[in-house]
Amino acid sequence: FRDDNEGHFLGGPGYVIRDRYRLIRDVGKGTFGRVVQCQDMLSKQHNRNVAIKIVRKCKRYHEAAKIEADILFDVNERGGRGHTHVALLLDRFSLHN
């Protein structure tokens, strides 16, 4: 895993995250980090694409992202899987040790 001196993830197309997600392209960038489109290489649905939000390596951004994921998980649970206009949270993980 590589990042720059400001904590921005440096992987590009073809980079593999957690031996599962092959980065296809950037979807968006912002202050907190970036969102990338990836192919889930282990999905039962062949060539399934997912979006991954990669937060900058910064303690306050990491804490904010954990809160955001908790809220998203709660909204998904209450709204029923796929029945709301909110992104579906499939998984959450940390790239940093």
Side-chain angles (χ1 to χ4, degrees), residues 8-41:
H8 293 281
F9 172 70
L10 293 177
Y15 188 90
V16 177
I17 300 169
R18 295 191 60 179
D19 297 323
R20 180 172 185 165
Y21 304 104
R22 181 179 317 280
L23 199 151
I24 297 170
R25 67 182 181 93
D26 278 324
V27 176
K29 294 182 182 181
T31 303
F32 285 88
R34 65 195 254 209
V35 175
V36 295
Q37 177 184 352
C38 293
Q39 176 191 8
D40 182 349
M41 300 182 299

Side-chain angles (χ1 to χ4, degrees), residues 53-69:
K53 183 175 185 177
I54 303 174
V55 178
R56 279 177 50 194
K57 187 177 180 180
C58 171
K59 184 176 181 175
R60 68 179 174 185
Y61 295 158
H62 180 77
E63 293 300 319
K66 288 192 320 189
I67 293 168
E68 179 182 16

